[in-house]
Amino acid sequence: MKTELSMVGRRAPKIDAVKLVTGRATFTDDVEMRGLLHAKVLKSPHAHARILSIDTSRASEIPGVHAVITHRDVPRNPYTSAGQSWPEPSPYDMYVLDRKVRFHGDAVAAVAAETPEIAEAALEAIGVEYEELPAVTDFRQSMGAGAPIIHDEPESYGIYDASRNIAAHIDVEAGDVEKGFRLADVIVENEFDVQYQQHTCLEPHVTIAFLDEDRRLVLRTSTQIPYHCRRMVAFALGIPVRNVHVLKPRVGGGFGNKQEVVTEPIAAVLAMKTGRPVKLEYTRADEFTIARNRHPQHITLKTGVRRDGSIVANALSVLTNTGPYGTHALTVTGNTGTKPLPLYRAANMKFYADIVYTNLPIAAAFRGYGAPQGFFAMEVHMDEVAEALGIEPLEFRRMNHIRVGDTDLMSAAAGEGAGKKPRVIHSCGLPECIERGAEAIGWYQKRGRPGDGPIKRGVGMCILMQGSGVAGDELAGAALKMNEDASFNLMVGSADIGTGSDTSLAQIAAEVLGVPLENILIKSGDTDDISFDYGAYASSTAYITGMCVLKASEDARQQIVAAAARMMDEDPEGLLVHDEKVTSLSGKSVTLQEVALECLYGESKTVIIGKGSHATKESPPPFVAMFAEVEVDTETGQVRPVEIVTAVDVGRAINPDICEGQVEGAVAQGLGYALTEEILVDADGRVLNPTFMDYKIFCAADMPTLTTILVEAEEPTGPFGAKSVAEIAINGPAPAISNAIYDAVGVRLHSLPMTPEKVLAALDCRGER
Amino acid sequence: MIPAAFDYAAPASLEEAMALLAGHPDDAKLIAGGHSLLPLMKLRLATPQLLVDLGKIPDLRYIEEKGDHLAIGAMTTHYQVSISEAVRRRAGLLADSAAVVGDMQVRNRGTVGGSLAHADPASDLPAAALALGAQLVARSRSGERVIAAADFFQDIWTSALEPEEILTEVRIPFQDGKAQAYEKFRQRAGDWAIVGAAVSVARRNGTIDRADVILTNVGPTPVRARAVESALQGQPVSPEVVRAAAEQAADGLDPAPELKASPDYKRHLARVLTRRALERALQIS
Ligand SMILES: Cc1cc2nc3c(=O)[nH]c(=O)nc-3n(C[C@H](O)[C@H](O)[C@H](O)COP(=O)(O)OP(=O)(O)OC[C@H]3O[C@@H](n4cnc5c(N)ncnc54)[C@H](O)[C@@H]3O)c2cc1C
């Protein structure tokens, strides 16, 4: 392979940028379907109740109403909405519609009507009799004696212990922590609390379901997981997979909220019942109340260290609130332990977790996937451990972080990788990330200099790691076909949900095939294509699908070389494909266009189709050193981030602009998590702030200066050395800012979001004011 | 998030607008910038049958210096007020508070008249209007009356205006020589105030002649911090005096809890912001 790269590593504009900014990109809802019906869902007014009876007769009679469905009208196949590989490691505890409701807003019935207004009127005409049940609205009470059992139905399965409301449970140990603690000179223990966070995708969940001319169910849907969606809907509805066709148009953000089957099943049932296209679209309030969120957790960390700074035992335990359903219950919390724990070398590690049901909003996958919670706790805690030893926090991390050749002890022990071969670190740019990040923020000049006056300044930092795909549980299939003008149709099953993955994948193909970017016509996320993919999650697309595209492109390139060799009467060995031609060492050349025309219409009559399939046991971690500078107003408690420096080891930046964009977006979302964002729920389980007025995300005017440093510690198992980049940075702002607050004012914040009122209370406790 | 159906009229004159209001005493609403009314309509907290748009009426958008006062037309936007040289010079507090309303988009649409008529205790201009001793001119088919700001704000979202009255002008006595500032605390850029403090101090020979201190978002209307005002009156201008006076800003305050802040936190902010506003106005710290 060539060593000089021309397409990979280039800041190519996103291939869909122009169409997005000119409004030509078509999202799910940007089609006009003849006879489209509008679906609405009747939502539970109770946190926990049994449905005694539903009377739909009045609703059905309203002119313009085409279907009203309840649990009586849908198959009772337990499923999970978690878009994971089959069989999903999440409990099968959901039903398209059920006889019981388990949180405020849970679906009771659904209507399809000519207009949204008629559908709303029909909902009001449905009479439901409920038997209210006691509810659990504090996840610390879920396992308690006498707590109501949220999943008492016999059909659900895969629940760890339904009788105690435990959806999933983790108890793993590497080495022997108790022995480790006995060897310790100092033991530090801390507790942390983290909140519900909403993904706030620009585009809410939306599905248009219809039957095509062959009576196959087509789901035009805003999803991260077209292939999982196809299989899961088929299984939930009890219809053959072949009868489902999923189309992913442009998607306006996913962040994990669309690694879920949410609007698809009800839309599908209504389309099948009415024979008409049906649209089910969530409102913004729906997104805040009945979609998905990041899991709230209570985390305890206990670490034993020797005076020399080495860690002898590290134990993390978690209580997680999954809400009424266990979607991603095991695996998200799995990451809370298995991402941060192995970052620090220690012979003895323990990870314990209970993931419990409540009658509260649903928690599920969210960018970072359990790691933001874990890293907030771990990285604040490690600052405190370093302080207890009197070691400078940067130095403490340098001494203890994982490095090349190390085995990740947790990777084989828990989560989706459970029971598989442990991962070994092949690349680690963390030392360079730490050095360059520290220099960029001015760490040594600024640390410990809060300044005079009521507004103090501080700097803090953290280190992070993530994965690139789920170790041992990823698969991608792609194909590309050569056309007359040396353009290629590239079909991938992955889902570009705004990340820019289509562009990165096209760059990989263009690199291998020696063509400009515009020669690659990429289509992603159509399950009727020659492609397959687990979907856009776990930071997998560039690493897994990227390698798959590389293989498919290599396959096509070899066919091109063979054809060119025939045409030039040369030995295929030593032929080079570059700049839209194939050249030989003796100086002969044919253009790719000539090759294409010869193949399609000349003697050989072959269609050049390159195909690839890629799976791997590896999941190489990208690494980050993040630095935050903040101002803390000691009189109001206000924390203002001044600058965030993210030095990130991405292996290889296939497109540096896209990498930086992913980092900046993750930092913005991480800042909200750190400082402002929180779904608030009242004692009855009702969401109190389902609007952007009251749920506060960071907007442009709030953003600090962002500096992103791309470090390239080439990963031998990745395409052109690439690892992942999309999630990792979201883990950093919370711990880096908490540590910076400590540098500024000497108080430790262990609870998110770090609101002015909380910071002020912490200052008050210390008698700072 | 879609308003109920309504009719819409855009009268070309004040007379026509007054006639429309008189003809629909119960179900018409004026619309100015729409930035408070439309959100309520979208939530269906307001369901007017008829919207009477003031936007097409000429002569409601002006800032004039008249004898001893500034006259500001009701349809003047927050942005226009915030950049007006005359407002800066004659009533600095108004410019100061208009400049921190919402974000640029809101300041470009929202109007002085709409903001005052809406009587939202979380709005920034009502506190300033009280501190400035503004006079509000209301007109209807039955004539014109002038209402003192002190009598205007009656309860949350309730002003002294009658349904058929239109607020046409805000008059602000020249404030020349007074030390003024508005301090607003919000968690994020563009947000509403969690608490705000508007202060205006008249001095003579180094002593405080009179102080007006009004707080935003700590009660159903803007709240006058009387204890602070009397603690300042007759005192020399000094950091100690200001600090001691500001400590009394929360005396008697009973703010309702809200998602963003507990009553205790709001009381604390009232003290901090009052002190900061006074310090900035008087250029001491
Ligand atoms: C996102 C956002 C953020 C905001 N942030 C702030 C903030 O931080 N601080 C702040 O103070 N405000 C804020 N506002 C409110 C904004 O300033 C409003 O525009 C203002 O309060 C109302 O002015 P308006 O011209 O939009 O009035 P409208 O919404 O048109 O009207 C409001 C009410 O006043 C009545 N009305 C309007 N004009 C007259 C008149 N001339 N005579 C009699 N009645 C009249 C209407 O009938 C209606 O009941 C915000 C608004 C938004 C949308």
Side-chain angles (χ1 to χ4, degrees), chain A residues 17-46:
Chain A
V18 171
K19 95 177 158 186
L20 281 165
V21 298
T22 54
R24 273 186 289 117
T26 49
F27 293 77
T28 296
D29 196 23
D30 291 334
V31 285
E32 290 194 12
M33 306 280 297
R34 193 191 290 176
L36 181 74
L37 299 177
H38 300 264
K40 293 273 173 195
V41 176
L42 181 66
K43 293 169 207 147
S44 166
H46 305 296

PDB file of all heavy atoms in Angstrom, chain A residues 17-46:
ATOM      1  N   ALA A  17     -22.512  18.800   3.215  1.00  0.00           N
ATOM      2  CA  ALA A  17     -22.577  20.111   3.868  1.00  0.00           C
ATOM      3  C   ALA A  17     -23.449  21.091   3.088  1.00  0.00           C
ATOM      4  O   ALA A  17     -24.328  21.745   3.651  1.00  0.00           O
ATOM      5  CB  ALA A  17     -21.166  20.675   4.037  1.00  0.00           C
ATOM      6  N   VAL A  18     -23.228  21.156   1.767  1.00  0.00           N
ATOM      7  CA  VAL A  18     -23.959  22.154   0.978  1.00  0.00           C
ATOM      8  C   VAL A  18     -25.452  21.856   1.009  1.00  0.00           C
ATOM      9  O   VAL A  18     -26.278  22.739   1.219  1.00  0.00           O
ATOM     10  CB  VAL A  18     -23.422  22.206  -0.465  1.00  0.00           C
ATOM     11  CG1 VAL A  18     -24.313  23.083  -1.334  1.00  0.00           C
ATOM     12  CG2 VAL A  18     -21.980  22.730  -0.459  1.00  0.00           C
ATOM     13  N   LYS A  19     -25.777  20.594   0.852  1.00  0.00           N
ATOM     14  CA  LYS A  19     -27.212  20.292   0.820  1.00  0.00           C
ATOM     15  C   LYS A  19     -27.849  20.522   2.197  1.00  0.00           C
ATOM     16  O   LYS A  19     -29.014  20.912   2.284  1.00  0.00           O
ATOM     17  CB  LYS A  19     -27.449  18.901   0.243  1.00  0.00           C
ATOM     18  CG  LYS A  19     -27.588  17.758   1.133  1.00  0.00           C
ATOM     19  CD  LYS A  19     -27.880  16.510   0.310  1.00  0.00           C
ATOM     20  CE  LYS A  19     -27.480  15.297   1.117  1.00  0.00           C
ATOM     21  NZ  LYS A  19     -27.569  14.059   0.395  1.00  0.00           N
ATOM     22  N   LEU A  20     -27.085  20.353   3.232  1.00  0.00           N
ATOM     23  CA  LEU A  20     -27.658  20.630   4.556  1.00  0.00           C
ATOM     24  C   LEU A  20     -27.891  22.123   4.762  1.00  0.00           C
ATOM     25  O   LEU A  20     -28.959  22.536   5.196  1.00  0.00           O
ATOM     26  CB  LEU A  20     -26.733  20.098   5.656  1.00  0.00           C
ATOM     27  CG  LEU A  20     -26.823  18.596   5.896  1.00  0.00           C
ATOM     28  CD1 LEU A  20     -25.646  18.114   6.716  1.00  0.00           C
ATOM     29  CD2 LEU A  20     -28.137  18.239   6.578  1.00  0.00           C
ATOM     30  N   VAL A  21     -26.897  22.936   4.403  1.00  0.00           N
ATOM     31  CA  VAL A  21     -27.075  24.370   4.684  1.00  0.00           C
ATOM     32  C   VAL A  21     -28.003  25.043   3.685  1.00  0.00           C
ATOM     33  O   VAL A  21     -28.518  26.121   3.960  1.00  0.00           O
ATOM     34  CB  VAL A  21     -25.734  25.132   4.774  1.00  0.00           C
ATOM     35  CG1 VAL A  21     -24.888  24.602   5.906  1.00  0.00           C
ATOM     36  CG2 VAL A  21     -24.975  25.092   3.466  1.00  0.00           C
ATOM     37  N   THR A  22     -28.239  24.406   2.542  1.00  0.00           N
ATOM     38  CA  THR A  22     -29.193  25.004   1.611  1.00  0.00           C
ATOM     39  C   THR A  22     -30.581  24.389   1.758  1.00  0.00           C
ATOM     40  O   THR A  22     -31.485  24.710   0.994  1.00  0.00           O
ATOM     41  CB  THR A  22     -28.726  24.832   0.151  1.00  0.00           C
ATOM     42  OG1 THR A  22     -28.475  23.448  -0.080  1.00  0.00           O
ATOM     43  CG2 THR A  22     -27.460  25.632  -0.114  1.00  0.00           C
ATOM     44  N   GLY A  23     -30.735  23.492   2.711  1.00  0.00           N
ATOM     45  CA  GLY A  23     -32.073  22.966   2.994  1.00  0.00           C
ATOM     46  C   GLY A  23     -32.545  21.908   2.024  1.00  0.00           C
ATOM     47  O   GLY A  23     -33.728  21.598   1.966  1.00  0.00           O
ATOM     48  N   ARG A  24     -31.638  21.341   1.244  1.00  0.00           N
ATOM     49  CA  ARG A  24     -32.067  20.321   0.293  1.00  0.00           C
ATOM     50  C   ARG A  24     -32.036  18.908   0.872  1.00  0.00           C
ATOM     51  O   ARG A  24     -32.593  17.987   0.276  1.00  0.00           O
ATOM     52  CB  ARG A  24     -31.205  20.384  -0.979  1.00  0.00           C
ATOM     53  CG  ARG A  24     -31.727  21.377  -2.005  1.00  0.00           C
ATOM     54  CD  ARG A  24     -30.932  21.287  -3.297  1.00  0.00           C
ATOM     55  NE  ARG A  24     -29.584  21.821  -3.126  1.00  0.00           N
ATOM     56  CZ  ARG A  24     -28.469  21.104  -3.249  1.00  0.00           C
ATOM     57  NH1 ARG A  24     -28.526  19.829  -3.562  1.00  0.00           N
ATOM     58  NH2 ARG A  24     -27.298  21.676  -3.069  1.00  0.00           N
ATOM     59  N   ALA A  25     -31.352  18.749   1.995  1.00  0.00           N
ATOM     60  CA  ALA A  25     -31.283  17.412   2.579  1.00  0.00           C
ATOM     61  C   ALA A  25     -32.675  16.998   3.040  1.00  0.00           C
ATOM     62  O   ALA A  25     -33.412  17.805   3.592  1.00  0.00           O
ATOM     63  CB  ALA A  25     -30.318  17.419   3.764  1.00  0.00           C
ATOM     64  N   THR A  26     -33.042  15.747   2.780  1.00  0.00           N
ATOM     65  CA  THR A  26     -34.384  15.312   3.180  1.00  0.00           C
ATOM     66  C   THR A  26     -34.312  14.455   4.428  1.00  0.00           C
ATOM     67  O   THR A  26     -33.692  13.396   4.433  1.00  0.00           O
ATOM     68  CB  THR A  26     -35.089  14.526   2.059  1.00  0.00           C
ATOM     69  OG1 THR A  26     -34.187  13.542   1.584  1.00  0.00           O
ATOM     70  CG2 THR A  26     -35.494  15.435   0.929  1.00  0.00           C
ATOM     71  N   PHE A  27     -34.939  14.954   5.444  1.00  0.00           N
ATOM     72  CA  PHE A  27     -35.057  14.220   6.700  1.00  0.00           C
ATOM     73  C   PHE A  27     -36.319  13.353   6.624  1.00  0.00           C
ATOM     74  O   PHE A  27     -37.064  13.416   5.645  1.00  0.00           O
ATOM     75  CB  PHE A  27     -35.106  15.204   7.874  1.00  0.00           C
ATOM     76  CG  PHE A  27     -33.797  15.943   8.071  1.00  0.00           C
ATOM     77  CD1 PHE A  27     -33.441  16.999   7.246  1.00  0.00           C
ATOM     78  CD2 PHE A  27     -32.907  15.548   9.055  1.00  0.00           C
ATOM     79  CE1 PHE A  27     -32.225  17.658   7.397  1.00  0.00           C
ATOM     80  CE2 PHE A  27     -31.689  16.193   9.213  1.00  0.00           C
ATOM     81  CZ  PHE A  27     -31.350  17.258   8.389  1.00  0.00           C
ATOM     82  N   THR A  28     -36.549  12.568   7.660  1.00  0.00           N
ATOM     83  CA  THR A  28     -37.675  11.635   7.620  1.00  0.00           C
ATOM     84  C   THR A  28     -38.972  12.320   7.217  1.00  0.00           C
ATOM     85  O   THR A  28     -39.712  11.841   6.367  1.00  0.00           O
ATOM     86  CB  THR A  28     -37.842  10.952   8.997  1.00  0.00           C
ATOM     87  OG1 THR A  28     -36.678  10.163   9.249  1.00  0.00           O
ATOM     88  CG2 THR A  28     -39.070  10.069   9.034  1.00  0.00           C
ATOM     89  N   ASP A  29     -39.212  13.480   7.803  1.00  0.00           N
ATOM     90  CA  ASP A  29     -40.501  14.142   7.593  1.00  0.00           C
ATOM     91  C   ASP A  29     -40.542  14.970   6.308  1.00  0.00           C
ATOM     92  O   ASP A  29     -41.550  15.577   5.995  1.00  0.00           O
ATOM     93  CB  ASP A  29     -40.792  15.034   8.814  1.00  0.00           C
ATOM     94  CG  ASP A  29     -42.244  15.452   8.869  1.00  0.00           C
ATOM     95  OD1 ASP A  29     -43.083  14.740   8.278  1.00  0.00           O
ATOM     96  OD2 ASP A  29     -42.544  16.488   9.477  1.00  0.00           O
ATOM     97  N   ASP A  30     -39.443  15.010   5.551  1.00  0.00           N
ATOM     98  CA  ASP A  30     -39.412  15.873   4.361  1.00  0.00           C
ATOM     99  C   ASP A  30     -39.920  15.176   3.106  1.00  0.00           C
ATOM    100  O   ASP A  30     -39.353  15.317   2.027  1.00  0.00           O
ATOM    101  CB  ASP A  30     -37.979  16.369   4.120  1.00  0.00           C
ATOM    102  CG  ASP A  30     -37.536  17.350   5.185  1.00  0.00           C
ATOM    103  OD1 ASP A  30     -38.411  18.007   5.767  1.00  0.00           O
ATOM    104  OD2 ASP A  30     -36.324  17.467   5.430  1.00  0.00           O
ATOM    105  N   VAL A  31     -40.997  14.421   3.249  1.00  0.00           N
ATOM    106  CA  VAL A  31     -41.611  13.817   2.064  1.00  0.00           C
ATOM    107  C   VAL A  31     -43.104  14.075   2.139  1.00  0.00           C
ATOM    108  O   VAL A  31     -43.658  14.255   3.224  1.00  0.00           O
ATOM    109  CB  VAL A  31     -41.403  12.280   2.003  1.00  0.00           C
ATOM    110  CG1 VAL A  31     -39.979  11.960   1.611  1.00  0.00           C
ATOM    111  CG2 VAL A  31     -41.792  11.625   3.303  1.00  0.00           C
ATOM    112  N   GLU A  32     -43.722  14.112   0.988  1.00  0.00           N
ATOM    113  CA  GLU A  32     -45.179  14.202   0.982  1.00  0.00           C
ATOM    114  C   GLU A  32     -45.708  12.847   0.565  1.00  0.00           C
ATOM    115  O   GLU A  32     -45.440  12.382  -0.536  1.00  0.00           O
ATOM    116  CB  GLU A  32     -45.631  15.306   0.027  1.00  0.00           C
ATOM    117  CG  GLU A  32     -45.262  16.654   0.585  1.00  0.00           C
ATOM    118  CD  GLU A  32     -45.960  17.804  -0.113  1.00  0.00           C
ATOM    119  OE1 GLU A  32     -46.903  17.560  -0.892  1.00  0.00           O
ATOM    120  OE2 GLU A  32     -45.531  18.941   0.126  1.00  0.00           O
ATOM    121  N   MET A  33     -46.435  12.233   1.465  1.00  0.00           N
ATOM    122  CA  MET A  33     -46.962  10.905   1.182  1.00  0.00           C
ATOM    123  C   MET A  33     -48.457  11.043   0.939  1.00  0.00           C
ATOM    124  O   MET A  33     -49.166  11.627   1.765  1.00  0.00           O
ATOM    125  CB  MET A  33     -46.756   9.980   2.386  1.00  0.00           C
ATOM    126  CG  MET A  33     -45.339   9.872   2.893  1.00  0.00           C
ATOM    127  SD  MET A  33     -44.332   8.746   1.929  1.00  0.00           S
ATOM    128  CE  MET A  33     -45.163   7.207   2.202  1.00  0.00           C
ATOM    129  N   ARG A  34     -48.920  10.491  -0.147  1.00  0.00           N
ATOM    130  CA  ARG A  34     -50.354  10.579  -0.407  1.00  0.00           C
ATOM    131  C   ARG A  34     -51.117   9.779   0.657  1.00  0.00           C
ATOM    132  O   ARG A  34     -50.754   8.647   0.950  1.00  0.00           O
ATOM    133  CB  ARG A  34     -50.659  10.017  -1.793  1.00  0.00           C
ATOM    134  CG  ARG A  34     -52.060  10.359  -2.251  1.00  0.00           C
ATOM    135  CD  ARG A  34     -52.437   9.594  -3.491  1.00  0.00           C
ATOM    136  NE  ARG A  34     -51.682  10.053  -4.667  1.00  0.00           N
ATOM    137  CZ  ARG A  34     -51.797   9.459  -5.861  1.00  0.00           C
ATOM    138  NH1 ARG A  34     -52.587   8.428  -6.029  1.00  0.00           N
ATOM    139  NH2 ARG A  34     -51.099   9.916  -6.878  1.00  0.00           N
ATOM    140  N   GLY A  35     -52.137  10.387   1.216  1.00  0.00           N
ATOM    141  CA  GLY A  35     -52.988   9.680   2.191  1.00  0.00           C
ATOM    142  C   GLY A  35     -52.354   9.497   3.554  1.00  0.00           C
ATOM    143  O   GLY A  35     -52.760   8.630   4.331  1.00  0.00           O
ATOM    144  N   LEU A  36     -51.366  10.339   3.855  1.00  0.00           N
ATOM    145  CA  LEU A  36     -50.667  10.188   5.137  1.00  0.00           C
ATOM    146  C   LEU A  36     -51.612  10.401   6.325  1.00  0.00           C
ATOM    147  O   LEU A  36     -52.363  11.370   6.370  1.00  0.00           O
ATOM    148  CB  LEU A  36     -49.527  11.206   5.223  1.00  0.00           C
ATOM    149  CG  LEU A  36     -48.696  11.144   6.513  1.00  0.00           C
ATOM    150  CD1 LEU A  36     -47.788   9.921   6.497  1.00  0.00           C
ATOM    151  CD2 LEU A  36     -47.862  12.403   6.676  1.00  0.00           C
ATOM    152  N   LEU A  37     -51.540   9.482   7.283  1.00  0.00           N
ATOM    153  CA  LEU A  37     -52.289   9.644   8.528  1.00  0.00           C
ATOM    154  C   LEU A  37     -51.332  10.052   9.645  1.00  0.00           C
ATOM    155  O   LEU A  37     -50.146   9.740   9.599  1.00  0.00           O
ATOM    156  CB  LEU A  37     -52.972   8.331   8.915  1.00  0.00           C
ATOM    157  CG  LEU A  37     -53.993   7.769   7.932  1.00  0.00           C
ATOM    158  CD1 LEU A  37     -54.520   6.423   8.437  1.00  0.00           C
ATOM    159  CD2 LEU A  37     -55.145   8.755   7.707  1.00  0.00           C
ATOM    160  N   HIS A  38     -51.877  10.755  10.624  1.00  0.00           N
ATOM    161  CA  HIS A  38     -51.072  11.244  11.738  1.00  0.00           C
ATOM    162  C   HIS A  38     -51.385  10.424  12.980  1.00  0.00           C
ATOM    163  O   HIS A  38     -52.553  10.258  13.331  1.00  0.00           O
ATOM    164  CB  HIS A  38     -51.374  12.730  11.989  1.00  0.00           C
ATOM    165  CG  HIS A  38     -51.056  13.567  10.792  1.00  0.00           C
ATOM    166  ND1 HIS A  38     -49.869  14.231  10.641  1.00  0.00           N
ATOM    167  CD2 HIS A  38     -51.776  13.814   9.663  1.00  0.00           C
ATOM    168  CE1 HIS A  38     -49.864  14.851   9.475  1.00  0.00           C
ATOM    169  NE2 HIS A  38     -51.012  14.624   8.859  1.00  0.00           N
ATOM    170  N   ALA A  39     -50.343   9.942  13.601  1.00  0.00           N
ATOM    171  CA  ALA A  39     -50.527   9.115  14.792  1.00  0.00           C
ATOM    172  C   ALA A  39     -50.274   9.933  16.048  1.00  0.00           C
ATOM    173  O   ALA A  39     -49.438  10.827  16.063  1.00  0.00           O
ATOM    174  CB  ALA A  39     -49.589   7.922  14.749  1.00  0.00           C
ATOM    175  N   LYS A  40     -51.034   9.627  17.081  1.00  0.00           N
ATOM    176  CA  LYS A  40     -50.795  10.210  18.410  1.00  0.00           C
ATOM    177  C   LYS A  40     -50.939   9.097  19.438  1.00  0.00           C
ATOM    178  O   LYS A  40     -51.712   8.160  19.235  1.00  0.00           O
ATOM    179  CB  LYS A  40     -51.827  11.308  18.720  1.00  0.00           C
ATOM    180  CG  LYS A  40     -51.702  12.545  17.843  1.00  0.00           C
ATOM    181  CD  LYS A  40     -50.717  13.536  18.422  1.00  0.00           C
ATOM    182  CE  LYS A  40     -50.494  14.685  17.440  1.00  0.00           C
ATOM    183  NZ  LYS A  40     -49.310  15.474  17.779  1.00  0.00           N
ATOM    184  N   VAL A  41     -50.211   9.267  20.510  1.00  0.00           N
ATOM    185  CA  VAL A  41     -50.198   8.229  21.539  1.00  0.00           C
ATOM    186  C   VAL A  41     -50.861   8.756  22.805  1.00  0.00           C
ATOM    187  O   VAL A  41     -50.571   9.869  23.254  1.00  0.00           O
ATOM    188  CB  VAL A  41     -48.747   7.797  21.847  1.00  0.00           C
ATOM    189  CG1 VAL A  41     -48.704   6.802  22.989  1.00  0.00           C
ATOM    190  CG2 VAL A  41     -48.100   7.204  20.599  1.00  0.00           C
ATOM    191  N   LEU A  42     -51.757   7.970  23.367  1.00  0.00           N
ATOM    192  CA  LEU A  42     -52.370   8.324  24.652  1.00  0.00           C
ATOM    193  C   LEU A  42     -51.391   7.957  25.760  1.00  0.00           C
ATOM    194  O   LEU A  42     -50.912   6.830  25.828  1.00  0.00           O
ATOM    195  CB  LEU A  42     -53.685   7.561  24.840  1.00  0.00           C
ATOM    196  CG  LEU A  42     -54.430   7.879  26.148  1.00  0.00           C
ATOM    197  CD1 LEU A  42     -54.913   9.325  26.157  1.00  0.00           C
ATOM    198  CD2 LEU A  42     -55.606   6.930  26.354  1.00  0.00           C
ATOM    199  N   LYS A  43     -51.107   8.941  26.607  1.00  0.00           N
ATOM    200  CA  LYS A  43     -50.056   8.745  27.608  1.00  0.00           C
ATOM    201  C   LYS A  43     -50.635   8.574  29.004  1.00  0.00           C
ATOM    202  O   LYS A  43     -51.622   9.206  29.356  1.00  0.00           O
ATOM    203  CB  LYS A  43     -49.117   9.941  27.595  1.00  0.00           C
ATOM    204  CG  LYS A  43     -48.335  10.013  26.291  1.00  0.00           C
ATOM    205  CD  LYS A  43     -47.616  11.332  26.156  1.00  0.00           C
ATOM    206  CE  LYS A  43     -47.423  11.686  24.706  1.00  0.00           C
ATOM    207  NZ  LYS A  43     -47.474  13.119  24.494  1.00  0.00           N
ATOM    208  N   SER A  44     -49.963   7.778  29.776  1.00  0.00           N
ATOM    209  CA  SER A  44     -50.424   7.508  31.133  1.00  0.00           C
ATOM    210  C   SER A  44     -50.352   8.750  32.010  1.00  0.00           C
ATOM    211  O   SER A  44     -49.333   9.427  32.049  1.00  0.00           O
ATOM    212  CB  SER A  44     -49.555   6.416  31.759  1.00  0.00           C
ATOM    213  OG  SER A  44     -49.790   6.403  33.156  1.00  0.00           O
ATOM    214  N   PRO A  45     -51.437   9.021  32.745  1.00  0.00           N
ATOM    215  CA  PRO A  45     -51.407  10.124  33.705  1.00  0.00           C
ATOM    216  C   PRO A  45     -50.893   9.664  35.069  1.00  0.00           C
ATOM    217  O   PRO A  45     -50.897  10.430  36.017  1.00  0.00           O
ATOM    218  CB  PRO A  45     -52.876  10.531  33.794  1.00  0.00           C
ATOM    219  CG  PRO A  45     -53.629   9.259  33.544  1.00  0.00           C
ATOM    220  CD  PRO A  45     -52.776   8.401  32.643  1.00  0.00           C
ATOM    221  N   HIS A  46     -50.501   8.416  35.176  1.00  0.00           N
ATOM    222  CA  HIS A  46     -50.019   7.868  36.448  1.00  0.00           C
ATOM    223  C   HIS A  46     -48.616   7.319  36.291  1.00  0.00           C
ATOM    224  O   HIS A  46     -48.224   6.887  35.212  1.00  0.00           O
ATOM    225  CB  HIS A  46     -50.931   6.730  36.927  1.00  0.00           C
ATOM    226  CG  HIS A  46     -52.365   7.122  37.037  1.00  0.00           C
ATOM    227  ND1 HIS A  46     -52.814   8.067  37.917  1.00  0.00           N
ATOM    228  CD2 HIS A  46     -53.454   6.702  36.332  1.00  0.00           C
ATOM    229  CE1 HIS A  46     -54.116   8.214  37.783  1.00  0.00           C
ATOM    230  NE2 HIS A  46     -54.530   7.407  36.822  1.00  0.00           N
TER     231      HIS A  46
END
